[in-house]
PDB file of all heavy atoms in Angstrom:
ATOM      1  N   GLU S   1     -34.587  37.356  71.118  1.00  0.00           N
ATOM      2  CA  GLU S   1     -34.970  36.006  70.746  1.00  0.00           C
ATOM      3  C   GLU S   1     -34.761  35.742  69.261  1.00  0.00           C
ATOM      4  O   GLU S   1     -34.907  36.638  68.424  1.00  0.00           O
ATOM      5  CB  GLU S   1     -36.454  35.770  71.081  1.00  0.00           C
ATOM      6  CG  GLU S   1     -36.791  35.911  72.559  1.00  0.00           C
ATOM      7  CD  GLU S   1     -38.247  35.643  72.839  1.00  0.00           C
ATOM      8  OE1 GLU S   1     -38.963  35.218  71.900  1.00  0.00           O
ATOM      9  OE2 GLU S   1     -38.690  35.862  73.980  1.00  0.00           O
ATOM     10  N   GLY S   2     -34.429  34.493  68.942  1.00  0.00           N
ATOM     11  CA  GLY S   2     -34.367  34.024  67.570  1.00  0.00           C
ATOM     12  C   GLY S   2     -33.425  34.822  66.687  1.00  0.00           C
ATOM     13  O   GLY S   2     -32.359  35.263  67.121  1.00  0.00           O
ATOM     14  N   GLU S   3     -33.842  35.032  65.420  1.00  0.00           N
ATOM     15  CA  GLU S   3     -32.985  35.753  64.483  1.00  0.00           C
ATOM     16  C   GLU S   3     -32.905  37.244  64.813  1.00  0.00           C
ATOM     17  O   GLU S   3     -31.990  37.938  64.388  1.00  0.00           O
ATOM     18  CB  GLU S   3     -33.502  35.573  63.053  1.00  0.00           C
ATOM     19  CG  GLU S   3     -34.884  36.146  62.807  1.00  0.00           C
ATOM     20  CD  GLU S   3     -35.335  35.929  61.379  1.00  0.00           C
ATOM     21  OE1 GLU S   3     -34.662  35.181  60.648  1.00  0.00           O
ATOM     22  OE2 GLU S   3     -36.345  36.525  60.990  1.00  0.00           O
ATOM     23  N   HIS S   4     -33.858  37.739  65.612  1.00  0.00           N
ATOM     24  CA  HIS S   4     -33.825  39.134  66.045  1.00  0.00           C
ATOM     25  C   HIS S   4     -33.169  39.231  67.417  1.00  0.00           C
ATOM     26  O   HIS S   4     -33.699  39.803  68.353  1.00  0.00           O
ATOM     27  CB  HIS S   4     -35.234  39.722  66.080  1.00  0.00           C
ATOM     28  CG  HIS S   4     -35.907  39.720  64.758  1.00  0.00           C
ATOM     29  ND1 HIS S   4     -35.330  40.269  63.618  1.00  0.00           N
ATOM     30  CD2 HIS S   4     -37.098  39.222  64.356  1.00  0.00           C
ATOM     31  CE1 HIS S   4     -36.141  40.114  62.594  1.00  0.00           C
ATOM     32  NE2 HIS S   4     -37.222  39.466  63.017  1.00  0.00           N
ATOM     33  N   SER S   5     -31.987  38.646  67.507  1.00  0.00           N
ATOM     34  CA  SER S   5     -31.235  38.657  68.759  1.00  0.00           C
ATOM     35  C   SER S   5     -29.785  38.999  68.467  1.00  0.00           C
ATOM     36  O   SER S   5     -29.310  38.916  67.329  1.00  0.00           O
ATOM     37  CB  SER S   5     -31.320  37.293  69.462  1.00  0.00           C
ATOM     38  OG  SER S   5     -30.703  36.278  68.690  1.00  0.00           O
ATOM     39  N   LEU S   6     -29.105  39.398  69.510  1.00  0.00           N
ATOM     40  CA  LEU S   6     -27.692  39.740  69.429  1.00  0.00           C
ATOM     41  C   LEU S   6     -26.903  38.734  70.261  1.00  0.00           C
ATOM     42  O   LEU S   6     -27.221  38.511  71.432  1.00  0.00           O
ATOM     43  CB  LEU S   6     -27.469  41.158  69.966  1.00  0.00           C
ATOM     44  CG  LEU S   6     -26.026  41.649  70.090  1.00  0.00           C
ATOM     45  CD1 LEU S   6     -25.358  41.734  68.723  1.00  0.00           C
ATOM     46  CD2 LEU S   6     -25.982  43.012  70.791  1.00  0.00           C
ATOM     47  N   LEU S   7     -25.900  38.113  69.650  1.00  0.00           N
ATOM     48  CA  LEU S   7     -25.015  37.201  70.374  1.00  0.00           C
ATOM     49  C   LEU S   7     -23.733  37.936  70.735  1.00  0.00           C
ATOM     50  O   LEU S   7     -23.066  38.494  69.858  1.00  0.00           O
ATOM     51  CB  LEU S   7     -24.670  35.979  69.519  1.00  0.00           C
ATOM     52  CG  LEU S   7     -25.794  35.016  69.142  1.00  0.00           C
ATOM     53  CD1 LEU S   7     -25.232  33.819  68.396  1.00  0.00           C
ATOM     54  CD2 LEU S   7     -26.581  34.562  70.367  1.00  0.00           C
ATOM     55  N   ILE S   8     -23.403  37.938  72.013  1.00  0.00           N
ATOM     56  CA  ILE S   8     -22.155  38.535  72.482  1.00  0.00           C
ATOM     57  C   ILE S   8     -21.302  37.430  73.074  1.00  0.00           C
ATOM     58  O   ILE S   8     -21.725  36.735  74.004  1.00  0.00           O
ATOM     59  CB  ILE S   8     -22.423  39.629  73.520  1.00  0.00           C
ATOM     60  CG1 ILE S   8     -23.243  40.755  72.876  1.00  0.00           C
ATOM     61  CG2 ILE S   8     -21.118  40.167  74.087  1.00  0.00           C
ATOM     62  CD1 ILE S   8     -23.627  41.867  73.812  1.00  0.00           C
ATOM     63  N   VAL S   9     -20.117  37.242  72.505  1.00  0.00           N
ATOM     64  CA  VAL S   9     -19.229  36.164  72.920  1.00  0.00           C
ATOM     65  C   VAL S   9     -18.029  36.765  73.637  1.00  0.00           C
ATOM     66  O   VAL S   9     -17.280  37.564  73.070  1.00  0.00           O
ATOM     67  CB  VAL S   9     -18.750  35.331  71.714  1.00  0.00           C
ATOM     68  CG1 VAL S   9     -17.910  34.146  72.188  1.00  0.00           C
ATOM     69  CG2 VAL S   9     -19.934  34.860  70.885  1.00  0.00           C
ATOM     70  N   VAL S  10     -17.868  36.396  74.907  1.00  0.00           N
ATOM     71  CA  VAL S  10     -16.761  36.867  75.732  1.00  0.00           C
ATOM     72  C   VAL S  10     -15.674  35.801  75.735  1.00  0.00           C
ATOM     73  O   VAL S  10     -15.940  34.645  76.077  1.00  0.00           O
ATOM     74  CB  VAL S  10     -17.248  37.162  77.160  1.00  0.00           C
ATOM     75  CG1 VAL S  10     -16.072  37.560  78.056  1.00  0.00           C
ATOM     76  CG2 VAL S  10     -18.305  38.252  77.146  1.00  0.00           C
ATOM     77  N   LEU S  11     -14.451  36.204  75.369  1.00  0.00           N
ATOM     78  CA  LEU S  11     -13.360  35.253  75.180  1.00  0.00           C
ATOM     79  C   LEU S  11     -12.126  35.633  75.986  1.00  0.00           C
ATOM     80  O   LEU S  11     -11.857  36.809  76.223  1.00  0.00           O
ATOM     81  CB  LEU S  11     -12.946  35.223  73.697  1.00  0.00           C
ATOM     82  CG  LEU S  11     -13.973  34.777  72.668  1.00  0.00           C
ATOM     83  CD1 LEU S  11     -13.466  35.100  71.270  1.00  0.00           C
ATOM     84  CD2 LEU S  11     -14.232  33.302  72.814  1.00  0.00           C
ATOM     85  N   HIS S  12     -11.381  34.621  76.378  1.00  0.00           N
ATOM     86  CA  HIS S  12     -10.010  34.795  76.833  1.00  0.00           C
ATOM     87  C   HIS S  12      -9.224  33.637  76.234  1.00  0.00           C
ATOM     88  O   HIS S  12      -9.233  32.524  76.757  1.00  0.00           O
ATOM     89  CB  HIS S  12      -9.916  34.792  78.358  1.00  0.00           C
ATOM     90  CG  HIS S  12      -8.570  35.193  78.862  1.00  0.00           C
ATOM     91  ND1 HIS S  12      -8.222  35.137  80.194  1.00  0.00           N
ATOM     92  CD2 HIS S  12      -7.469  35.669  78.215  1.00  0.00           C
ATOM     93  CE1 HIS S  12      -6.989  35.558  80.353  1.00  0.00           C
ATOM     94  NE2 HIS S  12      -6.502  35.873  79.157  1.00  0.00           N
ATOM     95  N   LEU S  13      -8.565  33.898  75.103  1.00  0.00           N
ATOM     96  CA  LEU S  13      -7.911  32.841  74.345  1.00  0.00           C
ATOM     97  C   LEU S  13      -6.572  32.450  74.957  1.00  0.00           C
ATOM     98  O   LEU S  13      -5.953  33.210  75.702  1.00  0.00           O
ATOM     99  CB  LEU S  13      -7.690  33.296  72.900  1.00  0.00           C
ATOM    100  CG  LEU S  13      -8.940  33.614  72.071  1.00  0.00           C
ATOM    101  CD1 LEU S  13      -8.543  34.024  70.662  1.00  0.00           C
ATOM    102  CD2 LEU S  13      -9.910  32.443  72.035  1.00  0.00           C
ATOM    103  N   SER S  14      -6.124  31.256  74.598  1.00  0.00           N
ATOM    104  CA  SER S  14      -4.829  30.761  75.039  1.00  0.00           C
ATOM    105  C   SER S  14      -3.693  31.540  74.397  1.00  0.00           C
ATOM    106  O   SER S  14      -3.887  32.316  73.449  1.00  0.00           O
ATOM    107  CB  SER S  14      -4.689  29.278  74.689  1.00  0.00           C
ATOM    108  OG  SER S  14      -5.609  28.499  75.409  1.00  0.00           O
ATOM    109  N   LEU S  15      -2.483  31.291  74.877  1.00  0.00           N
ATOM    110  CA  LEU S  15      -1.306  31.966  74.334  1.00  0.00           C
ATOM    111  C   LEU S  15      -0.777  31.294  73.078  1.00  0.00           C
ATOM    112  O   LEU S  15      -0.279  31.961  72.176  1.00  0.00           O
ATOM    113  CB  LEU S  15      -0.197  32.011  75.398  1.00  0.00           C
ATOM    114  CG  LEU S  15      -0.494  32.850  76.647  1.00  0.00           C
ATOM    115  CD1 LEU S  15       0.584  32.623  77.707  1.00  0.00           C
ATOM    116  CD2 LEU S  15      -0.588  34.324  76.299  1.00  0.00           C
ATOM    117  N   SER S  16      -0.880  29.985  72.980  1.00  0.00           N
ATOM    118  CA  SER S  16      -0.261  29.273  71.857  1.00  0.00           C
ATOM    119  C   SER S  16      -1.101  29.383  70.593  1.00  0.00           C
ATOM    120  O   SER S  16      -2.342  29.401  70.648  1.00  0.00           O
ATOM    121  CB  SER S  16      -0.046  27.800  72.206  1.00  0.00           C
ATOM    122  OG  SER S  16      -1.255  27.083  72.125  1.00  0.00           O
ATOM    123  N   ALA S  17      -0.425  29.442  69.455  1.00  0.00           N
ATOM    124  CA  ALA S  17      -1.103  29.573  68.168  1.00  0.00           C
ATOM    125  C   ALA S  17      -1.970  28.354  67.874  1.00  0.00           C
ATOM    126  O   ALA S  17      -3.084  28.484  67.359  1.00  0.00           O
ATOM    127  CB  ALA S  17      -0.070  29.776  67.052  1.00  0.00           C
ATOM    128  N   ARG S  18      -1.475  27.157  68.207  1.00  0.00           N
ATOM    129  CA  ARG S  18      -2.238  25.937  67.926  1.00  0.00           C
ATOM    130  C   ARG S  18      -3.536  25.907  68.725  1.00  0.00           C
ATOM    131  O   ARG S  18      -4.598  25.588  68.188  1.00  0.00           O
ATOM    132  CB  ARG S  18      -1.391  24.703  68.240  1.00  0.00           C
ATOM    133  CG  ARG S  18      -2.122  23.390  68.000  1.00  0.00           C
ATOM    134  CD  ARG S  18      -1.214  22.194  68.219  1.00  0.00           C
ATOM    135  NE  ARG S  18      -0.126  22.168  67.251  1.00  0.00           N
ATOM    136  CZ  ARG S  18       0.791  21.204  67.213  1.00  0.00           C
ATOM    137  NH1 ARG S  18       0.750  20.203  68.091  1.00  0.00           N
ATOM    138  NH2 ARG S  18       1.744  21.239  66.308  1.00  0.00           N
ATOM    139  N   ALA S  19      -3.453  26.261  70.007  1.00  0.00           N
ATOM    140  CA  ALA S  19      -4.661  26.282  70.834  1.00  0.00           C
ATOM    141  C   ALA S  19      -5.629  27.348  70.339  1.00  0.00           C
ATOM    142  O   ALA S  19      -6.848  27.121  70.292  1.00  0.00           O
ATOM    143  CB  ALA S  19      -4.288  26.537  72.283  1.00  0.00           C
ATOM    144  N   GLN S  20      -5.119  28.507  69.965  1.00  0.00           N
ATOM    145  CA  GLN S  20      -5.991  29.564  69.451  1.00  0.00           C
ATOM    146  C   GLN S  20      -6.732  29.121  68.198  1.00  0.00           C
ATOM    147  O   GLN S  20      -7.919  29.427  68.021  1.00  0.00           O
ATOM    148  CB  GLN S  20      -5.182  30.826  69.159  1.00  0.00           C
ATOM    149  CG  GLN S  20      -4.795  31.606  70.387  1.00  0.00           C
ATOM    150  CD  GLN S  20      -4.203  32.964  70.046  1.00  0.00           C
ATOM    151  OE1 GLN S  20      -4.188  33.376  68.891  1.00  0.00           O
ATOM    152  NE2 GLN S  20      -3.709  33.659  71.051  1.00  0.00           N
ATOM    153  N   ASP S  21      -6.049  28.416  67.314  1.00  0.00           N
ATOM    154  CA  ASP S  21      -6.701  27.917  66.093  1.00  0.00           C
ATOM    155  C   ASP S  21      -7.890  27.034  66.451  1.00  0.00           C
ATOM    156  O   ASP S  21      -8.980  27.178  65.877  1.00  0.00           O
ATOM    157  CB  ASP S  21      -5.702  27.133  65.236  1.00  0.00           C
ATOM    158  CG  ASP S  21      -4.660  28.029  64.579  1.00  0.00           C
ATOM    159  OD1 ASP S  21      -4.907  29.242  64.482  1.00  0.00           O
ATOM    160  OD2 ASP S  21      -3.606  27.514  64.186  1.00  0.00           O
ATOM    161  N   ARG S  22      -7.698  26.121  67.376  1.00  0.00           N
ATOM    162  CA  ARG S  22      -8.780  25.228  67.792  1.00  0.00           C
ATOM    163  C   ARG S  22      -9.912  26.004  68.466  1.00  0.00           C
ATOM    164  O   ARG S  22     -11.095  25.736  68.231  1.00  0.00           O
ATOM    165  CB  ARG S  22      -8.235  24.159  68.739  1.00  0.00           C
ATOM    166  CG  ARG S  22      -7.263  23.171  68.109  1.00  0.00           C
ATOM    167  CD  ARG S  22      -6.775  22.172  69.129  1.00  0.00           C
ATOM    168  NE  ARG S  22      -7.879  21.382  69.678  1.00  0.00           N
ATOM    169  CZ  ARG S  22      -7.788  20.633  70.780  1.00  0.00           C
ATOM    170  NH1 ARG S  22      -6.647  20.590  71.452  1.00  0.00           N
ATOM    171  NH2 ARG S  22      -8.827  19.945  71.203  1.00  0.00           N
ATOM    172  N   GLN S  23      -9.546  26.942  69.294  1.00  0.00           N
ATOM    173  CA  GLN S  23     -10.556  27.707  70.025  1.00  0.00           C
ATOM    174  C   GLN S  23     -11.394  28.590  69.092  1.00  0.00           C
ATOM    175  O   GLN S  23     -12.612  28.688  69.242  1.00  0.00           O
ATOM    176  CB  GLN S  23      -9.870  28.548  71.102  1.00  0.00           C
ATOM    177  CG  GLN S  23      -9.307  27.694  72.232  1.00  0.00           C
ATOM    178  CD  GLN S  23      -8.303  28.410  73.105  1.00  0.00           C
ATOM    179  OE1 GLN S  23      -8.012  29.596  72.915  1.00  0.00           O
ATOM    180  NE2 GLN S  23      -7.746  27.695  74.068  1.00  0.00           N
ATOM    181  N   LEU S  24     -10.745  29.197  68.105  1.00  0.00           N
ATOM    182  CA  LEU S  24     -11.486  30.051  67.169  1.00  0.00           C
ATOM    183  C   LEU S  24     -12.375  29.229  66.243  1.00  0.00           C
ATOM    184  O   LEU S  24     -13.464  29.668  65.868  1.00  0.00           O
ATOM    185  CB  LEU S  24     -10.508  30.909  66.368  1.00  0.00           C
ATOM    186  CG  LEU S  24      -9.830  32.025  67.175  1.00  0.00           C
ATOM    187  CD1 LEU S  24      -8.722  32.672  66.370  1.00  0.00           C
ATOM    188  CD2 LEU S  24     -10.856  33.067  67.616  1.00  0.00           C
ATOM    189  N   ARG S  25     -11.943  28.023  65.884  1.00  0.00           N
ATOM    190  CA  ARG S  25     -12.820  27.144  65.103  1.00  0.00           C
ATOM    191  C   ARG S  25     -14.058  26.778  65.917  1.00  0.00           C
ATOM    192  O   ARG S  25     -15.172  26.723  65.376  1.00  0.00           O
ATOM    193  CB  ARG S  25     -12.065  25.879  64.675  1.00  0.00           C
ATOM    194  CG  ARG S  25     -11.074  26.103  63.544  1.00  0.00           C
ATOM    195  CD  ARG S  25     -10.686  24.788  62.876  1.00  0.00           C
ATOM    196  NE  ARG S  25     -10.067  23.856  63.797  1.00  0.00           N
ATOM    197  CZ  ARG S  25      -8.758  23.781  64.029  1.00  0.00           C
ATOM    198  NH1 ARG S  25      -7.933  24.615  63.403  1.00  0.00           N
ATOM    199  NH2 ARG S  25      -8.271  22.895  64.873  1.00  0.00           N
ATOM    200  N   TYR S  26     -13.854  26.524  67.183  1.00  0.00           N
ATOM    201  CA  TYR S  26     -14.978  26.208  68.069  1.00  0.00           C
ATOM    202  C   TYR S  26     -15.952  27.382  68.132  1.00  0.00           C
ATOM    203  O   TYR S  26     -17.173  27.202  68.014  1.00  0.00           O
ATOM    204  CB  TYR S  26     -14.440  25.873  69.463  1.00  0.00           C
ATOM    205  CG  TYR S  26     -15.490  25.456  70.460  1.00  0.00           C
ATOM    206  CD1 TYR S  26     -15.747  24.114  70.712  1.00  0.00           C
ATOM    207  CD2 TYR S  26     -16.225  26.405  71.164  1.00  0.00           C
ATOM    208  CE1 TYR S  26     -16.713  23.725  71.634  1.00  0.00           C
ATOM    209  CE2 TYR S  26     -17.197  26.029  72.084  1.00  0.00           C
ATOM    210  CZ  TYR S  26     -17.432  24.686  72.310  1.00  0.00           C
ATOM    211  OH  TYR S  26     -18.394  24.313  73.221  1.00  0.00           O
ATOM    212  N   VAL S  27     -15.428  28.581  68.319  1.00  0.00           N
ATOM    213  CA  VAL S  27     -16.275  29.776  68.413  1.00  0.00           C
ATOM    214  C   VAL S  27     -16.995  30.026  67.100  1.00  0.00           C
ATOM    215  O   VAL S  27     -18.184  30.374  67.081  1.00  0.00           O
ATOM    216  CB  VAL S  27     -15.435  30.999  68.826  1.00  0.00           C
ATOM    217  CG1 VAL S  27     -16.252  32.282  68.718  1.00  0.00           C
ATOM    218  CG2 VAL S  27     -14.909  30.823  70.249  1.00  0.00           C
ATOM    219  N   ARG S  28     -16.315  29.828  65.985  1.00  0.00           N
ATOM    220  CA  ARG S  28     -16.954  30.043  64.687  1.00  0.00           C
ATOM    221  C   ARG S  28     -18.181  29.140  64.531  1.00  0.00           C
ATOM    222  O   ARG S  28     -19.226  29.568  64.018  1.00  0.00           O
ATOM    223  CB  ARG S  28     -15.969  29.790  63.547  1.00  0.00           C
ATOM    224  CG  ARG S  28     -16.610  30.046  62.186  1.00  0.00           C
ATOM    225  CD  ARG S  28     -15.700  29.747  61.023  1.00  0.00           C
ATOM    226  NE  ARG S  28     -16.377  30.070  59.779  1.00  0.00           N
ATOM    227  CZ  ARG S  28     -15.904  30.868  58.849  1.00  0.00           C
ATOM    228  NH1 ARG S  28     -14.716  31.456  59.015  1.00  0.00           N
ATOM    229  NH2 ARG S  28     -16.583  31.111  57.754  1.00  0.00           N
ATOM    230  N   ASN S  29     -18.068  27.899  64.973  1.00  0.00           N
ATOM    231  CA  ASN S  29     -19.213  26.981  64.873  1.00  0.00           C
ATOM    232  C   ASN S  29     -20.408  27.469  65.691  1.00  0.00           C
ATOM    233  O   ASN S  29     -21.550  27.133  65.383  1.00  0.00           O
ATOM    234  CB  ASN S  29     -18.797  25.578  65.327  1.00  0.00           C
ATOM    235  CG  ASN S  29     -17.884  24.884  64.336  1.00  0.00           C
ATOM    236  OD1 ASN S  29     -17.904  25.188  63.145  1.00  0.00           O
ATOM    237  ND2 ASN S  29     -17.083  23.955  64.815  1.00  0.00           N
ATOM    238  N   LEU S  30     -20.133  28.257  66.721  1.00  0.00           N
ATOM    239  CA  LEU S  30     -21.220  28.761  67.563  1.00  0.00           C
ATOM    240  C   LEU S  30     -21.971  29.918  66.914  1.00  0.00           C
ATOM    241  O   LEU S  30     -23.168  30.099  67.163  1.00  0.00           O
ATOM    242  CB  LEU S  30     -20.666  29.240  68.917  1.00  0.00           C
ATOM    243  CG  LEU S  30     -20.026  28.205  69.836  1.00  0.00           C
ATOM    244  CD1 LEU S  30     -19.456  28.897  71.070  1.00  0.00           C
ATOM    245  CD2 LEU S  30     -21.028  27.139  70.242  1.00  0.00           C
ATOM    246  N   VAL S  31     -21.264  30.714  66.081  1.00  0.00           N
ATOM    247  CA  VAL S  31     -21.845  32.008  65.674  1.00  0.00           C
ATOM    248  C   VAL S  31     -21.969  32.225  64.171  1.00  0.00           C
ATOM    249  O   VAL S  31     -22.619  33.187  63.755  1.00  0.00           O
ATOM    250  CB  VAL S  31     -21.008  33.169  66.268  1.00  0.00           C
ATOM    251  CG1 VAL S  31     -20.904  33.052  67.772  1.00  0.00           C
ATOM    252  CG2 VAL S  31     -19.614  33.238  65.643  1.00  0.00           C
ATOM    253  N   GLU S  32     -21.374  31.384  63.333  1.00  0.00           N
ATOM    254  CA  GLU S  32     -21.220  31.755  61.934  1.00  0.00           C
ATOM    255  C   GLU S  32     -22.528  31.917  61.166  1.00  0.00           C
ATOM    256  O   GLU S  32     -22.553  32.588  60.127  1.00  0.00           O
ATOM    257  CB  GLU S  32     -20.318  30.754  61.209  1.00  0.00           C
ATOM    258  CG  GLU S  32     -20.852  29.345  61.110  1.00  0.00           C
ATOM    259  CD  GLU S  32     -19.895  28.451  60.332  1.00  0.00           C
ATOM    260  OE1 GLU S  32     -19.177  28.965  59.443  1.00  0.00           O
ATOM    261  OE2 GLU S  32     -19.847  27.244  60.621  1.00  0.00           O
ATOM    262  N   HIS S  33     -23.623  31.350  61.644  1.00  0.00           N
ATOM    263  CA  HIS S  33     -24.895  31.466  60.925  1.00  0.00           C
ATOM    264  C   HIS S  33     -25.822  32.504  61.551  1.00  0.00           C
ATOM    265  O   HIS S  33     -26.986  32.607  61.154  1.00  0.00           O
ATOM    266  CB  HIS S  33     -25.594  30.109  60.868  1.00  0.00           C
ATOM    267  CG  HIS S  33     -24.802  29.070  60.144  1.00  0.00           C
ATOM    268  ND1 HIS S  33     -24.421  29.204  58.820  1.00  0.00           N
ATOM    269  CD2 HIS S  33     -24.287  27.878  60.574  1.00  0.00           C
ATOM    270  CE1 HIS S  33     -23.718  28.142  58.457  1.00  0.00           C
ATOM    271  NE2 HIS S  33     -23.621  27.328  59.501  1.00  0.00           N
ATOM    272  N   HIS S  34     -25.304  33.270  62.514  1.00  0.00           N
ATOM    273  CA  HIS S  34     -26.141  34.278  63.160  1.00  0.00           C
ATOM    274  C   HIS S  34     -25.820  35.657  62.578  1.00  0.00           C
ATOM    275  O   HIS S  34     -24.650  35.995  62.404  1.00  0.00           O
ATOM    276  CB  HIS S  34     -25.908  34.268  64.672  1.00  0.00           C
ATOM    277  CG  HIS S  34     -26.994  34.954  65.437  1.00  0.00           C
ATOM    278  ND1 HIS S  34     -28.176  34.340  65.765  1.00  0.00           N
ATOM    279  CD2 HIS S  34     -27.107  36.224  65.905  1.00  0.00           C
ATOM    280  CE1 HIS S  34     -28.954  35.182  66.413  1.00  0.00           C
ATOM    281  NE2 HIS S  34     -28.336  36.342  66.511  1.00  0.00           N
ATOM    282  N   PRO S  35     -26.829  36.492  62.295  1.00  0.00           N
ATOM    283  CA  PRO S  35     -26.563  37.775  61.622  1.00  0.00           C
ATOM    284  C   PRO S  35     -25.943  38.849  62.500  1.00  0.00           C
ATOM    285  O   PRO S  35     -25.261  39.738  61.984  1.00  0.00           O
ATOM    286  CB  PRO S  35     -27.959  38.208  61.142  1.00  0.00           C
ATOM    287  CG  PRO S  35     -28.921  37.526  62.061  1.00  0.00           C
ATOM    288  CD  PRO S  35     -28.275  36.218  62.417  1.00  0.00           C
ATOM    289  N   TYR S  36     -26.155  38.789  63.812  1.00  0.00           N
ATOM    290  CA  TYR S  36     -25.689  39.875  64.682  1.00  0.00           C
ATOM    291  C   TYR S  36     -24.840  39.292  65.803  1.00  0.00           C
ATOM    292  O   TYR S  36     -25.362  38.657  66.729  1.00  0.00           O
ATOM    293  CB  TYR S  36     -26.879  40.641  65.270  1.00  0.00           C
ATOM    294  CG  TYR S  36     -27.882  41.097  64.235  1.00  0.00           C
ATOM    295  CD1 TYR S  36     -29.189  40.612  64.253  1.00  0.00           C
ATOM    296  CD2 TYR S  36     -27.522  41.994  63.232  1.00  0.00           C
ATOM    297  CE1 TYR S  36     -30.116  41.021  63.308  1.00  0.00           C
ATOM    298  CE2 TYR S  36     -28.443  42.412  62.274  1.00  0.00           C
ATOM    299  CZ  TYR S  36     -29.737  41.911  62.309  1.00  0.00           C
ATOM    300  OH  TYR S  36     -30.645  42.307  61.371  1.00  0.00           O
ATOM    301  N   VAL S  37     -23.524  39.521  65.715  1.00  0.00           N
ATOM    302  CA  VAL S  37     -22.589  38.907  66.652  1.00  0.00           C
ATOM    303  C   VAL S  37     -21.530  39.927  67.063  1.00  0.00           C
ATOM    304  O   VAL S  37     -21.052  40.723  66.248  1.00  0.00           O
ATOM    305  CB  VAL S  37     -21.891  37.678  66.032  1.00  0.00           C
ATOM    306  CG1 VAL S  37     -20.885  37.066  67.015  1.00  0.00           C
ATOM    307  CG2 VAL S  37     -22.908  36.632  65.607  1.00  0.00           C
ATOM    308  N   VAL S  38     -21.151  39.879  68.345  1.00  0.00           N
ATOM    309  CA  VAL S  38     -20.012  40.624  68.870  1.00  0.00           C
ATOM    310  C   VAL S  38     -19.043  39.620  69.488  1.00  0.00           C
ATOM    311  O   VAL S  38     -19.448  38.787  70.309  1.00  0.00           O
ATOM    312  CB  VAL S  38     -20.437  41.641  69.943  1.00  0.00           C
ATOM    313  CG1 VAL S  38     -19.213  42.333  70.541  1.00  0.00           C
ATOM    314  CG2 VAL S  38     -21.405  42.664  69.378  1.00  0.00           C
TER     315      VAL S  38
END
């Protein structure tokens, strides 16, 4: 729970570079302020 939690993000990214850029920006918004992420 809360800040004492671990976030694990399971991904299967697209093949194209443009789509990957968008997808990784999306994922970053989900996790960038959390201290423990996989």
Side-chain angles (χ1 to χ4, degrees):
E1 299 181 7
E3 63 180 10
H4 299 307
S5 64
L6 174 64
L7 295 185
I8 298 177
V9 184
V10 176
L11 298 168
H12 190 186
L13 298 181
S14 294
L15 295 171
S16 77
R18 179 176 296 181
Q20 284 190 6
D21 289 341
R22 293 179 61 195
Q23 290 164 2
L24 289 171
R25 285 198 300 270
Y26 183 97
V27 171
R28 182 183 182 126
N29 288 335
L30 296 176
V31 304
E32 64 178 330
H33 299 300
H34 197 82
Y36 309 117
V37 178
V38 176

